[in-house]
Amino acid sequence: MTKSELIKNISAQYPQLSVRDIEMATRHMLDYLSDALAEGERIEIRGFGSFSMHVRPAKQGRNPKTGESVMVPEKRVPHFKPGKELREQVDYPENTSGKA
Amino acid sequence: MAVTKAEIVDMLFETMGLNKREAKGVVEAMFDHIRENLAQGEEVKLSGFGNFTLRDKNPRPGRNPKTGVEITITARRVVTFHPSQKLKAYVNGSEPDNG
């Protein structure tokens, strides 16, 4: 599923809202999540999962071409941890039988 | 304090004027559709944000860290999230663009 398919699916569920509104709402939601992460905030969606920031510290690296030693700056990487419900729903049924 | 569905609902109410019930419905619909697609084995690609992909993991030996007892970790399917180039650049301080 792509973003445009997601918008179509939400629209089908909310015919009282225009497709344009759903499109804008989806864009606002994804931008809001990106902003929260950029500000270093955690995002927790019950049943779905949580997003947090992992920080890779600055390290001494090397230019593979010249062999020259360079400082690689600290890097921030968004990380997603699926929630219990999502984890059980995507897993093979035999792993979750009686639990999901 | 973490961002939860309640904050996303408030944001939609404030920026778009959706009423709280509609906003809550749209927020829940988004996460539910993503979850359902993944549950059906379909990957979800949200351009500019990131991709949720599925990985099939083979069984591997493991150990109960408390008791030290060896067990086999069963084969399983897991979700991984790959942030887009745009999101990775954005959280590292570059200006957002419309790409």
Side-chain angles (χ1 to χ4, degrees), chain A residues 53-58 72-77, chain B residues 88 91-92:
Chain A
M53 195 62 78
H54 283 189
V55 180
R56 308 257 156 87
V72 180
E74 175 186 288
K75 202 170 152 195
R76 290 151 46 104
V77 187
Chain B
K88 281 196 280 189
V91 299
N92 282 290

Side-chain angles (χ1 to χ4, degrees), chain A residues 41-100:
Chain A
E41 263 191 284
R42 263 178 78 79
I43 301 164
E44 287 178 12
I45 310 296
R46 177 104 5 123
F48 183 77
S50 59
F51 295 88
S52 60
M53 195 62 78
H54 283 189
V55 180
R56 308 257 156 87
K59 59 173 185 193
Q60 197 66 242
R62 214 171 263 287
N63 181 328
K65 253 190 206 142
T66 63
E68 197 184 343
S69 174
V70 288
M71 204 58 195
V72 180
E74 175 186 288
K75 202 170 152 195
R76 290 151 46 104
V77 187
H79 179 77
F80 175 67
K81 185 168 183 260
K84 187 165 182 280
E85 235 179 290
L86 176 60
R87 228 164 44 225
E88 291 182 352
Q89 282 183 357
V90 301
D91 202 355
Y92 307 131
E94 61 266 30
N95 285 343
T96 55
S97 52
K99 281 190 280 174

Side-chain angles (χ1 to χ4, degrees), chain B residues 19-36:
Chain B
N19 73 44
K20 291 271 170 108
R21 226 189 55 203
E22 288 168 341
K24 188 163 185 276
V26 171
V27 172
E28 277 171 2
M30 178 173 85
F31 291 112
D32 286 350
H33 281 294
I34 297 173
R35 191 150 49 82
E36 279 161 22

Side-chain angles (χ1 to χ4, degrees), chain B residues 13-98:
Chain B
F13 168 72
E14 281 159 25
T15 59
M16 289 188 62
L18 294 185
N19 73 44
K20 291 271 170 108
R21 226 189 55 203
E22 288 168 341
K24 188 163 185 276
V26 171
V27 172
E28 277 171 2
M30 178 173 85
F31 291 112
D32 286 350
H33 281 294
I34 297 173
R35 191 150 49 82
E36 279 161 22
N37 267 265
L38 292 167
Q40 285 164 21
E42 216 202 312
E43 305 193 331
V44 176
K45 300 180 173 197
L46 305 175
S47 80
F49 186 72
N51 298 343
F52 295 90
T53 60
L54 295 162
R55 291 188 64 156
D56 289 309
K57 313 267 259 189
N58 289 322
R60 62 191 167 96
R63 188 184 282 281
N64 180 326
K66 261 199 202 126
T67 64
V69 178
E70 280 194 44
I71 45 150
T72 299
I73 298 170
T74 54
R76 58 192 60 206
R77 174 173 281 180
V78 297
V79 180
T80 51
F81 174 69
H82 299 275
S84 69
Q85 289 300 327
K86 185 184 163 188
L87 180 58
K88 281 196 280 189
Y90 186 43
V91 299
N92 282 290
S94 85
E95 284 300 303
D97 59 28
N98 296 317

